Amino acid sequence: MKTFYILTLFTLMGTCATKKHSAKIQDVKDSIELVDSTFVIKYANTISAEELKTHLYKFASNEFQGRRVGEPGQKLAAEFLKSYYESENIDSPFGGTNYYQTIPSSFFNGKYGSSENVLAYIEGTEYPEEVIIISSHLDHLGVSKDGLINNGADDDGSGTVALMEMAQAFKLAKDAGYAPKRSILFIHLTAEEIGKRGSEFYTLHPVFPLEKTITNLNIDMIGRIDNYHENNKDYIYLIGSDRLSKELHYISEKVNTSFFNINLDYRFNKEDDINDYYNRSDHYNFAFYGIPVIFYFNGEHNDYHKVTDTPDKIDYPLLEKRTKLIFATAWQIANQKHSLAADINNELLK
């Protein structure tokens, strides 16, 4: 009888503990109040398939010779991005006309020429020291041994043009008097294809303190569909959203269900996922320092890392919708009353 009593007590304690954790998670969910619903949709709707297509046909053209790290084509791609931000009157975090964070060849052990991350910046009005990073990588594989150009339209031209359109949307909002409360840093990272070296360099030499960087929303391939979704293309893979911040995860879900209803597919977010995507793109270098991340990804397709990854194969309306989701998520994080918290700092989870 005594043994039965003790077992029953432990069972009840376990049940209470589970309920307590569930209650904490519910508190996190309840703490999320969407802000500026009218404005976020107004400025999200400035992101258009037509402009994304125009930018991508340029960025993924033969002119940039596959954008291999440190080579002339990659330099031209960086100059294209710099010129865009200048033409849109979107500031550099360095001030003036310098939009480059230069990475010396020595950082690549002399195997590649010097390269550069391209950075643009919109300063927050109330909490400018808190920084949201939205990133994609600008480099690709260059020219193949048989002289064919790897245009990299999806990888990662799609993420590159998404950043361009989001930056323009935030700038339009700012010009109309609706600047973000927190700062937003748009980073076009170099050297992802040789081991995430551009993001590694940034985290070693951050422009803004990493302890004040509250999230990284990283985009690497969002313009296509994979074989799992041939009959239901309205999806996007999210990886890492709940690893470091439950609040980030539930913000993402609430924004999506409120405005877009895209199928958020988490199949590759498992910690034992054989593909190990969590470690394979630039967000990982931010997560390494405890910064909450989301990796947006459409999955691999038959043209992945092939010369056939060309801009004519991009689904531009789908790219537009996915970009709007990321924009709206960033808007929420930038403008909500309280700062996004990592789980270790979230009072609701203690």
Side-chain angles (χ1 to χ4, degrees), residues 65-350:
Q65 294 290 299
R67 310 186 303 275
R68 186 169 174 80
V69 177
E71 295 189 358
Q74 182 260 297
K75 304 288 186 181
L76 288 173
E79 180 62 31
F80 167 74
L81 294 169
K82 174 180 181 290
S83 296
Y84 173 79
Y85 289 115
E86 288 181 312
S87 69
E88 294 290 329
N89 294 312
I90 299 171
D91 292 336
S92 159
F94 306 112
T97 60
N98 176 29
Y99 288 75
Y100 294 164
Q101 182 185 43
T102 301
I103 305 176
S105 177
S106 59
F107 187 73
F108 307 127
N109 299 317
K111 295 181 180 179
Y112 302 89
S114 65
S115 191
E116 48 280 314
N117 295 324
V118 182
L119 284 66
Y121 176 65
I122 294 179
E123 186 175 34
T125 56
E126 295 186 22
Y127 314 102
E129 72 283 358
E130 296 183 12
V131 179
I132 297 156
I133 292 178
I134 310 178
S135 62
S136 65
H137 70 89
L138 66 89
D139 66 306
H140 195 50
L141 303 177
V143 181
S144 68
K145 292 180 180 179
D146 52 3
L148 298 175
I149 295 172
N150 290 280
N151 297 114
D154 194 27
D155 186 13
D156 187 25
S158 59
T160 299
V161 299
L163 256 66
M164 294 167 68
E165 281 287 283
M166 283 189 281
Q168 182 191 60
F170 274 111
K171 181 60 164 59
L172 289 170
K174 177 182 177 180
D175 290 346
Y178 304 107
K181 293 179 180 178
R182 297 174 178 84
S183 298
I184 302 177
L185 182 64
F186 303 90
I187 310 184
H188 299 271
L189 294 156
T190 190
E192 190 273 348
E193 297 287 9
I194 61 169
K196 311 184 296 291
R197 301 305 307 280
S199 53
E200 179 186 354
F201 187 87
Y202 180 86
T203 55
L204 291 172
H205 307 279
V207 176
F208 300 102
L210 295 183
E211 58 268 24
K212 290 295 186 178
T213 300
I214 59 176
T215 191
N216 169 227
L217 306 180
N218 182 53
I219 310 167
D220 195 349
M221 301 171 55
I222 60 165
R224 298 278 299 269
I225 61 172
D226 67 2
N227 293 333
Y228 291 114
H229 296 88
E230 290 179 344
N231 298 318
N232 181 18
K233 68 179 184 179
D234 193 17
Y235 78 98
I236 189 71
Y237 293 116
L238 267 63
I239 300 169
S241 63
D242 62 348
R243 300 273 184 112
L244 296 170
S245 173
K246 299 297 188 297
E247 182 185 4
L248 176 60
H249 177 75
Y250 291 116
I251 284 173
S252 168
E253 292 207 327
K254 190 165 186 175
V255 168
N256 180 56
T257 56
S258 298
F259 301 125
F260 303 106
N261 285 312
I262 297 172
N263 171 24
L264 304 182
D265 193 326
Y266 297 105
R267 76 181 68 197
F268 295 133
N269 189 45
K270 300 174 183 176
E271 292 195 23
D272 61 350
D273 176 54
I274 192 171
N275 299 283
D276 199 24
Y277 288 127
Y278 183 70
N279 297 318
R280 285 173 54 182
S281 192
D282 288 305
H283 59 278
Y284 179 76
N285 283 320
F286 295 96
F288 180 81
Y289 289 93
I291 297 168
V293 302
I294 300 179
F295 172 26
Y296 298 90
F297 178 51
N298 55 216
E300 296 181 22
H301 44 72
N302 294 336
D303 299 308
Y304 173 67
H305 276 198
K306 295 180 180 178
V307 297
T308 49
D309 180 11
T310 50
D312 57 296
K313 295 179 180 177
I314 298 294
D315 186 324
Y316 291 97
L318 185 58
L319 175 57
E320 174 192 305
K321 188 173 183 181
R322 290 166 170 172
T323 303
K324 287 178 175 179
L325 168 65
I326 302 165
F327 170 81
T329 303
W331 181 290
Q332 173 67 26
I333 297 167
N335 291 295
Q336 66 182 16
K337 292 179 180 179
H338 65 278
S339 178
L340 175 74
D343 287 347
I344 60 172
N345 299 320
N346 194 328
E347 293 297 327
L348 297 176
L349 293 175
K350 292 181 179 179

